[in-house]
Amino acid sequence: AGSLRQAIVDASAAPGADTITFAIPGSGPHTIVLASPLPDLVGPVTIDGTSQNGFVGTPLIELRGDSSFTGLKLTGTGAIVRSLALYGFHNGVELAGSSGRLVGSFVGLDGTRIVRGNANIGVIVSGGTSNEVGGAADLDQNVISGNAGNGVVVTGASQTSIRKNLVGTNATGTLAAPNGTNGILVNPGSTTTSIVENVVSG
């Protein structure tokens, strides 16, 4: 009870929209080490890292896994992941549903801004429609860097927005922190992908 895993299970079972917040004692960053995959986000659930006491713009909640599974997978409609740091996974985040959003997060960096990477792709949009990586607001900016494969991949999805991210840089956008292959890769079969106001480096 009280774990992120149980909160996702409870949110998925409850009708309507839900928000998962954090109240971990201490100044952070706080690391949640995952030995197995978390449940998919199957409904309109928001995981809100900005709720952690002391948040001032840099993620204070880290998810660390291993290279055998994905950090977070959004498979429903309207799920939002806000201001988390995810590293050590196979893929960091997968958006496979519709109207999902990844905002304000570090994918491949920890909460102290050290580049640690994921073993394959940082963020993959693998289907669905109207998914967003980043957004218009300054706090929506993701940093997606240091991953062994591509930074961001869009495949088989429609109306994907990739906006105002730092891809292949450090947390401040001042130095290269390369992803292993492409910064952003849009595969054939994806339609209406919008890529605006990003910095892509390394």
Side-chain angles (χ1 to χ4, degrees):
S3 69
L4 176 59
R5 184 180 303 276
Q6 189 61 47
I8 293 172
V9 170
D10 292 345
S12 297
D18 295 277
T19 300
I20 296 170
T21 60
F22 297 87
I24 302 173
S27 59
H30 302 284
T31 306
I32 299 171
V33 180
L34 300 172
S36 61
L38 288 169
D40 292 354
L41 305 184
V42 298
V45 57
T46 298
I47 301 180
D48 186 7
T50 70
S51 61
Q52 175 62 39
N53 184 49
F55 175 83
V56 291
T58 298
L60 291 176
I61 304 297
E62 302 179 355
L63 302 186
R64 186 179 79 203
D66 67 42
S67 60
S68 66
F69 57 90
T70 293
L72 284 171
K73 188 172 182 179
L74 289 60
T75 59
T77 298
I80 301 171
V81 173
R82 183 179 297 278
S83 297
L84 301 181
L86 301 99
Y87 61 92
F89 297 98
H90 181 65
N91 299 325
V93 179
E94 181 175 355
L95 288 81
S98 296
S99 301
R101 300 186 70 209
L102 173 69
V103 292
S105 295
F106 289 173
V107 184
L109 292 79
D110 67 17
T112 65
R113 302 187 171 193
I114 295 174
V115 177
R116 298 192 182 277
N118 291 287
N120 189 34
I121 298 167
V123 179
I124 179 169
V125 184
S126 62
T129 184
S130 301
N131 290 298
E132 298 180 59
V133 180
D138 289 343
L139 285 178
D140 289 344
Q141 181 181 73
N142 300 296
V143 184
I144 304 167
S145 301
N147 301 289
N150 299 291
V152 182
V153 174
V154 181
T155 185
S158 64
Q159 300 180 30
T160 302
S161 173
I162 303 169
R163 183 173 184 183
K164 200 176 279 189
N165 301 286
L166 300 177
V167 182
T169 79
N170 64 358
T172 59
T174 56
L175 294 170
N179 294 290
T181 50
N182 300 287
I184 300 174
L185 173 65
V186 181
N187 281 320
S190 299
T191 58
T192 322
T193 303
S194 173
I195 303 172
V196 295
E197 299 181 276
N198 301 282
V199 176
V200 183
S201 179

